Amino acid sequence: MLEFHIWDVFTDRAFSGNPLAIVTGADGLTTAQMQIIAQQFNLSETIFVMAPRDAANTARVRIFFPTAEIPFAGHPTIGCALHLSGGADVRILLEEEAGLVPVEIRSGRAEFTAPKLPVAQPGQADPDLIARATDLPADAIGLPGHQPAIWQGGPAFLYVPVRDLDALAAARPIQPFWSQAMQAAGVDSAYLYTPVKSGYRARMFSPTAGIPEDPATGSASAILAGQLLASHALAEGENRIPLEQGIEMGRASRIDMTAVVEAGELRQIRVAGCAVPVAQGKIRIPVAQVTKS
């Protein structure tokens, strides 16, 4: 039996934010066994904790959607680091598939530095097709200076600016247009956003990856910095941007993203948030005759 812990991430209240399963002592698991366990929890992401390859680091981790492994994700990084900190103010170093991710813990709040800076991708982001895919009128897609685009920084997302909060609330994936839009963009996830007084409110849909909607997406929040810089929405120096997500799901989340711009280029992206434990237990090790990786 393996120990697991459930944390709600990007919130300071239980039963809000984004639920995360943390499986500890996972060193002996195969990739197939990890995938089976992630399917069993059926949360947006499950993180598996192992001994680090380098003793100077805190832990090696692997992160899974219900359908596939991903190289990096924000809410597992935040939740896992807070779990491993034991409530202390400490620096956690996580060996993720995308690279080494440092996380600073201060007063029950974690902040990680993104392992990769976002890079624009060449897929198609046709506003008319996106409108059909999200069940929105064509004039709801886009903002002054902002147009849909694809960005990658580990995972990749289609970024879709929408007109206002009403349009954001009305959005929903509609087939077959959704699959057509994702195929054209070369991704399986779309991050919709619109300005609010304090920053931006967002929704993230990824139904083909087993995530109908995500209450808080830390990786997409980090990569959003690339979209905002390209849209001339970031200033020189340190930009602190509060992000709301999960409101429409009844799982309110608060993500704080900091983008550092020097000479018109992104130099660093940090994402911060809180998390609270809500459950713990043990789970059986599934039988899987697959070579360990």
Side-chain angles (χ1 to χ4, degrees):
M1 302 283 279
L2 293 171
E3 290 189 1
F4 72 85
H5 303 263
I6 306 294
W7 284 64
D8 285 340
V9 184
F10 289 123
T11 181
D12 57 5
R13 295 186 298 110
F15 309 109
S16 60
N18 199 351
L20 169 71
I22 304 168
V23 179
T24 57
D27 302 78
L29 295 179
T30 66
T31 298
Q33 288 171 319
M34 292 181 186
Q35 190 66 73
I36 290 168
I37 291 171
Q39 289 170 346
Q40 178 70 24
F41 284 119
N42 201 33
L43 299 175
S44 61
E45 283 139 358
T46 297
I47 189 167
F48 295 86
V49 184
M50 298 161 281
R53 290 188 171 117
D54 183 339
N57 301 327
T58 308
R60 178 190 176 207
V61 297
R62 295 177 68 183
I63 303 168
F64 286 75
F65 286 156
T67 56
E69 184 173 10
I70 54 174
F72 166 73
H75 103 274
T77 297
I78 293 286
C80 183
L82 284 166
H83 173 73
L84 294 175
S85 76
D89 287 356
V90 66
R91 188 171 193 252
I92 300 289
L93 291 170
L94 296 179
E95 298 172 359
E96 303 196 13
E97 294 300 295
L100 187 64
V101 182
V103 190
E104 300 289 341
I105 311 293
R106 294 289 182 272
S107 303
R109 186 172 181 268
E111 182 176 66
F112 70 79
T113 301
K116 294 184 177 181
L117 294 175
V119 177
Q121 297 300 297
Q124 297 179 13
D126 177 57
D128 290 335
L129 178 56
I130 292 169
R132 293 194 295 272
T134 54
D135 201 26
L136 293 175
D139 63 0
I141 303 300
L143 292 164
H146 297 242
Q147 292 299 320
I150 302 108
W151 291 86
Q152 183 171 20
F157 298 87
L158 169 63
Y159 285 86
V160 182
V162 298
R163 179 176 56 203
D164 52 30
L165 288 173
D166 289 340
L168 187 69
R172 59 181 183 136
I174 295 292
Q175 294 288 14
F177 307 114
W178 179 267
S179 292
Q180 292 170 7
M182 295 302 101
Q183 184 176 5
V187 299
D188 58 17
S189 305
Y191 183 94
L192 283 61
Y193 68 96
T194 198
V196 293
K197 184 176 181 181
S198 60
Y200 295 90
R201 183 179 294 182
R203 300 178 73 184
M204 201 288 284
F205 300 104
S206 190
T208 55
I211 306 169
E213 183 172 356
D214 198 29
T217 317
S219 57
S221 299
I223 300 167
L224 175 65
Q227 170 77 357
L228 296 180
L229 183 66
S231 303
H232 306 289
L234 297 181
E236 280 286 309
E238 193 168 84
N239 298 261
R240 297 179 180 272
I241 301 170
L243 304 171
E244 303 171 355
Q245 196 176 333
I247 307 297
E248 294 78 9
M249 302 174 66
R251 302 277 312 188
S253 303
R254 165 66 182 257
I255 302 170
D256 293 310
M257 186 265 282
T258 299
V260 179
V261 179
E262 295 178 0
E265 296 185 1
L266 282 169
R267 298 299 184 186
Q268 186 186 68
I269 304 168
R270 304 191 303 273
V271 171
C274 299
V276 292
V278 295
Q280 63 182 20
K282 293 186 177 181
I283 188 168
R284 293 177 62 177
I285 298 174
V287 176
Q289 301 299 322
V290 179
T291 302
K292 181 185 173 185
S293 56

